[in-house]
Amino acid sequence: MCLSSAQHVIASTDSAKPAKYVFVFIGDGMGLPQVASAEIYSSALKSGKYPEAPRVLSFTKFPAQGLTTTHDASSFITDSASSGTAIATGNKTLNGVISMDVDKKNELKSVATMAKEKGMKVGIISSVSIDHATPAVFYANVPSRKMMYEIGLQLADSGFDFFAGGGVVDPDGKKSKMEKKPGNVIEYAKQKGYKIVDNKEAFSALKPDGSKVWAVTEMPADESAMLYEIDRPKDAVSLSDYTSKAIELLDNPNGFFVMVEGGKIDWACHANDAMSAIKDVFAFDDAVKKAVDFANAHPDETLIIVTGDHECGGMTLGFAGTKYDTFFQKLQHQKISYVKFDQKLGQFKSSNPNAQLKDVMPLITESFGLTNKGGKSEMDLTEYEISLLKDSFAETMKAEDARSSDDGAYIAYGGYEPLTVTITHILNRKAGIGWTSYSHTGVPVPTYAFGAGAKTFDGYYDNTEIFSKLVSLMKI
Ligand SMILES: [Zn+2]
């Protein structure tokens, strides 16, 4: 898209027509640092003498932009269940609660359900499992996000037209306390009329024939999520492919509501892995671009919102060791996600139980570009960094139940594989990125809007107002 087309859209939105085609993109864990670091990384790769902050992400060029507070009913730091509930239903609730009130008694109706009741088609897409908190708040009502079997059943009962992305975490209800289980969630969805598609050929062949579709990634990764973008083979189905397909299948005279979550931005930030987070921001933006193309073809009737549900990791641009400089180009040497490196490290560990740090250095160099050549390259480790690697390697080589579990170990490693998280900390700090947490933080997030009624999203407002603004613009 270009700015002029955005201006064209905003100039023509004074009509009182309802927003008929609505996209809500939620970058899970995507605060301003996650957005800015993706753009600064692009700039750094161009390696101009002076920094530019290019608007490489489609949504940072959107004509309407706001700041959104994310606190929930009990804390300034929300989780994805309570922030999702705020965005989807307009109500504050507690951490862990999926579209129910603070008493966990009353169900709250989501904007997606309201759209469905109005005759619009509805699509829900996520790069993590489809029963995870952010997608769940749009179609389920349960007192705890951990009730993933119940969430899966409610997905099948929702009657929504299109689900896509990761799989389900508890398909057979092994963790469920439900007394009479109606069986496997996928089989249950089939009984409810869903066409289940779990390979690329069948997915590509889907045509708008009115059937309800549930498309699951052919490569389920950690916790049934899609692969991290950095690990995704280029021909594997992407978040933007799912978004295109939603548009193709749901386009109809009554309009549609589509929610797309970039869920692994959050997971990468929990693990303090900046490169994986940045690549997932790009994958998320590729999905947004599909919606922008559609909006340009349907300018007066399409509304696109891009927001984050909260920041994650306390990511910031600037680190004590790099002072006023950043070196984001160093991140490009990272070739795989922390999860894929953990897998390789596990194999290394089982075949080399008495290994020393030097034995694993080739794997570290190949995966993250960090070298130990005595200061000859910008990717060389300092003595201080080598001492951090040695300590964390010693922890990694211990059996998990023999590792330290005190506050210091938590602050150093956050429950992640000690060597891996130390490597991403070192690489990120060399780039000039700092982290304060392995959890979410309470800073407000940016919200961007494009299309019919976008101007409503200028300003500083609470995440519950995203719901009220949407409902008002959609006239539902
Ligand atoms: Zn999170």
Side-chain angles (χ1 to χ4, degrees):
M1 66 150 273
C2 61
L3 199 54
S4 59
S5 62
Q7 283 162 342
H8 165 75
V9 171
I10 199 67
S12 58
T13 51
D14 295 327
S15 73
K17 278 208 276 181
K20 179 174 168 187
Y21 307 107
V22 178
F23 295 87
V24 173
F25 287 89
I26 301 177
D28 202 305
M30 192 180 80
L32 207 44
Q34 285 74 13
V35 173
S37 59
E39 299 208 309
I40 293 173
Y41 175 70
S42 294
S43 173
L45 290 192
K46 290 189 189 134
S47 72
K49 190 176 173 199
Y50 295 105
E52 273 177 69
R55 304 291 175 84
V56 295
L57 299 171
S58 65
F59 54 84
T60 56
K61 289 177 283 209
F62 280 9
Q65 309 207 355
L67 289 170
T68 305
T69 47
T70 67
H71 60 280
D72 71 15
S74 68
S75 173
F76 278 107
I77 300 181
T78 186
D79 81 330
S80 292
S82 49
S83 60
T85 298
I87 294 167
T89 78
N91 289 270
K92 293 290 190 194
T93 192
L94 306 173
N95 266 230
V97 178
I98 302 291
S99 289
M100 294 187 82
D101 63 7
V102 291
D103 298 327
K104 304 181 192 178
K105 291 210 171 77
N106 296 305
E107 297 183 355
L108 302 166
K109 192 182 280 189
S110 81
V111 58
T113 301
M114 292 165 76
K116 184 71 191 160
E117 287 173 358
K118 264 287 198 176
M120 297 168 84
K121 294 206 177 215
V122 174
I124 303 290
I125 303 169
S126 175
S127 57
V128 299
S129 67
I130 202 73
D131 51 6
H132 219 261
T134 306
V137 295
F138 289 90
Y139 63 79
N141 309 91
V142 285
S144 168
R145 61 185 291 171
K146 291 182 185 155
M147 297 167 67
M148 292 178 126
Y149 178 70
E150 287 80 355
I151 291 171
L153 296 176
Q154 291 187 24
L155 178 157
D157 285 331
S158 70
F160 288 3
D161 304 273
F162 182 77
F163 289 96
V168 285
V169 170
D170 188 16
D172 296 309
K174 288 189 180 135
K175 292 179 189 150
S176 167
K177 294 190 183 104
M178 199 180 224
E179 279 180 14
K180 278 193 177 168
K181 298 190 182 89
N184 177 279
V185 164
I186 303 271
E187 293 305 319
Y188 183 73
K190 280 184 194 163
Q191 289 166 25
K192 294 285 169 177
Y194 281 88
K195 188 190 278 185
I196 311 290
V197 168
D198 61 3
N199 64 77
K200 189 180 176 183
E201 287 66 35
F203 172 74
S204 306
L206 285 170
K207 289 279 168 269
D209 61 4
S211 41
K212 293 184 284 186
V213 170
W214 182 359
V216 181
T217 177
E218 77 272 36
M219 295 183 183
D222 42 335
E223 295 174 56
S224 301
M226 291 169 67
L227 286 165
Y228 278 102
E229 182 66 10
I230 195 172
D231 300 328
R232 184 178 67 83
K234 286 299 150 247
D235 57 349
V237 181
S238 65
L239 197 65
S240 78
D241 294 332
Y242 286 131
T243 306
S244 292
K245 189 59 84 176
I247 294 168
E248 182 191 342
L249 299 186
L250 304 185
D251 191 2
N252 80 99
N254 291 331
F256 58 67
F257 173 89
V258 174
M259 192 290 297
V260 182
E261 184 202 21
K264 294 193 95 171
I265 300 166
D266 181 67
W267 294 13
C269 290
H270 278 286
N272 294 178
D273 177 351
M275 189 70 264
S276 295
I278 288 170
K279 291 268 167 90
D280 265 63
V281 169
F282 288 135
F284 177 70
D285 185 52
D286 286 343
V288 175
K289 284 173 182 159
K290 301 293 180 186
V292 171
D293 290 344
F294 181 87
N296 284 330
H298 303 79
D300 296 331
E301 306 172 293
T302 308
L303 172 64
I304 307 171
I305 307 301
V306 179
T307 189
D309 55 351
H310 49 72
E311 198 278 335
C312 182
M315 185 189 206
T316 199
L317 312 181
F319 172 65
T322 50
K323 302 188 180 94
Y324 286 91
D325 275 324
T326 53
F327 305 94
F328 276 35
Q329 70 280 4
K330 293 183 182 180
L331 296 173
Q332 69 183 305
H333 299 291
Q334 182 176 338
K335 301 299 180 202
I336 55 177
S337 70
Y338 77 97
V339 167
K340 199 161 177 190
F341 184 77
D342 279 353
Q343 289 162 1
K344 292 189 175 212
L345 191 58
Q347 288 158 7
F348 170 87
K349 195 175 153 177
S350 54
S351 45
N352 304 276
N354 302 310
Q356 296 181 307
L357 178 64
K358 67 175 170 45
D359 302 317
V360 79
M361 266 316 293
L363 183 60
I364 295 176
T365 302
E366 176 190 307
S367 309
F368 297 94
L370 297 169
T371 52
N372 187 8
K373 292 181 184 157
K376 290 191 189 102
S377 114
E378 67 164 17
M379 295 304 287
D380 259 354
L381 294 156
T382 64
E383 273 180 38
Y384 170 63
E385 290 163 347
I386 289 169
S387 74
L388 294 174
L389 286 182
K390 276 190 178 148
D391 292 348
S392 61
F393 182 70
E395 280 300 292
T396 278
M397 293 305 282
K398 289 180 193 165
E400 274 190 47
D401 56 4
R403 292 177 187 173
S404 321
S405 58
D406 60 11
D407 288 356
Y410 180 77
I411 288 168
Y413 310 130
Y416 289 92
E417 187 62 68
L419 179 66
T420 313
V421 74
T422 302
I423 291 168
T424 57
H425 280 162
I426 289 172
L427 176 62
N428 293 182
R429 288 168 181 178
K430 279 183 178 299
I433 291 174
W435 299 95
T436 66
S437 182
Y438 303 99
S439 303
H440 304 162
T441 68
V443 296
V445 296
T447 297
Y448 310 86
F450 179 101
K455 271 193 275 191
T456 318
F457 289 87
D458 276 330
Y460 194 29
Y461 45 86
D462 187 61
N463 57 3
T464 49
E465 289 181 47
I466 293 179
F467 168 84
S468 49
K469 290 173 195 295
L470 279 172
V471 166
S472 149
L473 291 168
M474 292 165 73
K475 300 197 194 317
I476 54 174

